[in-house]
Amino acid sequence: MLTTLYAVLFYIATLTLVGGLAAKLLRYARTPAPLKIPTTPAPTTQAGVVLRMAREIALFESLFKANRWIWVFGYVFHVALLLVLLRHLRYFTHPVWEWVSLLQPFGIYAGFAMIAGLMGLWARRIVVPRIRYISNPSDHLMLALLILIGASGLMMKFLAHTDIIAVKAFFLGLMRFELNPLPADPILLVHLTLVAALMIIFPFSKLLHGPAFLFSPGRNQVDNPREKRHIASWAAKLEAGPGKSA
Ligand code: HEM
């Protein structure tokens, strides 16, 4: 019963995450960017733009220049999250890839670092009056959700162990449309319920800022308006005259 319930929950969560993400990103990709608005100083070549985006993704460069405290907490959280997620690949692969095995010890420290980063970001929303004023309940809820996922994960690691072999068999089974029994440990069930909630909320929440960043015209445009006339596709059609296409 419990196994079936969580199997259905994770199928729904996966479909929502993948379908929701695809729909949102398709919408962003189709949204016209009629104006040339790269945030200056901006690269003047396409290769420069790729480099700028890479620095932004790997180092959060503009945040570093804008606000050092948010950068520290935000960067620690995101890098730690990446390590934690990579460590979790062991539940979904058999045999476990060599580099995932090598990462395992770092993944545990990353669990603590992830929570520390989130606490810092949350403290900022409470302590800085300006930020407190513009914080919505959903901002607080997202932080709470991520902290609770991390805390329940660490509790399993250090306080109340679960049968991780059985957890792995359950998830590998789901990937082949087979049901293997899920352990009924309360902390594991809390961890998994919160993870499923996160997967369902993700495409409709502000957490989408990660993939959505790629579509930001301020960052992905080349600063070449003098060399090359920028014209949106619909404007080109208008210029070509009624009934004609550009
Ligand atoms: C379906 C997806 C997931 C499964 C099956 C899962 C399962 C587990 C299990 C079994 C543990 C205990 C590890 C141990 O005892 O050695 C754990 C730990 C942990 N989980 Fe998850 N988890 C999932 C998703 C996530 C996500 C999305 C996050 C973060 C947002 C997360 C954060 C953590 C953390 C921080 C720990 C403690 C550190 C560690 O052992 O890596 N988990 N998880």
Side-chain angles (χ1 to χ4, degrees):
M1 177 68 194
L2 187 80
T3 300
T4 316
L5 193 73
Y6 274 81
V8 173
L9 178 65
F10 271 93
Y11 281 131
I12 293 177
T14 307
L15 283 177
T16 315
L17 178 69
V18 175
L21 255 182
K24 282 281 177 126
L25 296 186
L26 208 68
R27 204 168 104 196
Y28 294 152
R30 287 190 178 146
T31 303
L35 302 177
K36 193 72 167 173
I37 47 167
T39 313
T40 53
T44 52
T45 62
Q46 194 61 42
V49 167
V50 171
L51 202 70
R52 177 192 209 178
M53 302 277 281
R55 282 202 312 271
E56 208 46 87
I57 292 171
L59 305 168
F60 298 3
E61 186 184 41
S62 60
L63 181 61
F64 182 81
K65 288 178 189 157
N67 187 316
R68 216 46 63 83
W69 276 114
I70 308 177
W71 181 84
V72 168
F73 291 125
Y75 198 71
V76 165
F77 160 63
H78 283 91
V79 171
L81 176 67
L82 179 67
L83 273 173
V84 165
L85 293 181
L86 292 177
R87 178 172 140 89
H88 276 66
L89 280 178
R90 65 181 175 154
Y91 301 120
F92 304 93
T93 49
H94 191 74
V96 176
W97 302 321
E98 183 66 29
W99 63 270
V100 176
S101 307
L102 291 175
L103 270 181
Q104 294 303 312
F106 304 103
I108 302 174
Y109 299 116
F112 288 103
M114 180 183 129
I115 294 188
L118 287 165
M119 292 288 206
L121 292 171
W122 207 356
R124 160 183 165 263
R125 287 206 179 270
I126 296 165
V127 174
V128 184
R130 230 164 20 94
I131 309 292
R132 188 170 59 226
Y133 183 68
I134 58 162
S135 295
N136 291 321
S138 81
D139 296 322
H140 293 286
L141 277 175
M142 292 301 148
L143 288 163
L145 181 62
L146 288 164
I147 288 176
L148 287 174
I149 291 177
S152 53
L154 287 171
M155 278 169 81
M156 273 188 283
K157 178 79 204 150
F158 293 104
L159 294 178
H161 298 291
T162 186
D163 181 351
I164 55 170
I165 308 290
V167 174
K168 174 164 181 162
F170 172 79
F171 279 97
L172 284 179
L174 286 191
M175 289 160 72
R176 296 183 198 118
F177 301 103
E178 287 166 16
L179 280 190
N180 294 320
L182 181 71
D185 299 320
I187 301 182
L188 172 69
L189 299 182
V190 169
H191 192 65
L192 295 184
T193 308
L194 296 174
V195 169
L198 178 69
M199 290 166 72
I200 292 171
I201 295 168
F202 190 88
F204 314 102
S205 72
K206 64 182 288 178
L207 301 179
L208 200 60
H209 65 268
F213 161 76
L214 296 173
F215 301 92
S216 164
R219 299 271 178 256
N220 68 16
Q221 289 186 347
V222 184
D223 186 9
N224 60 354
R226 283 156 232 89
E227 293 78 14
K228 194 166 175 289
R229 186 165 174 230
H230 178 78
I231 184 152
S233 57
W234 52 266
K237 281 186 195 134
L238 279 182
E239 276 200 350
K244 293 183 200 144
S245 59

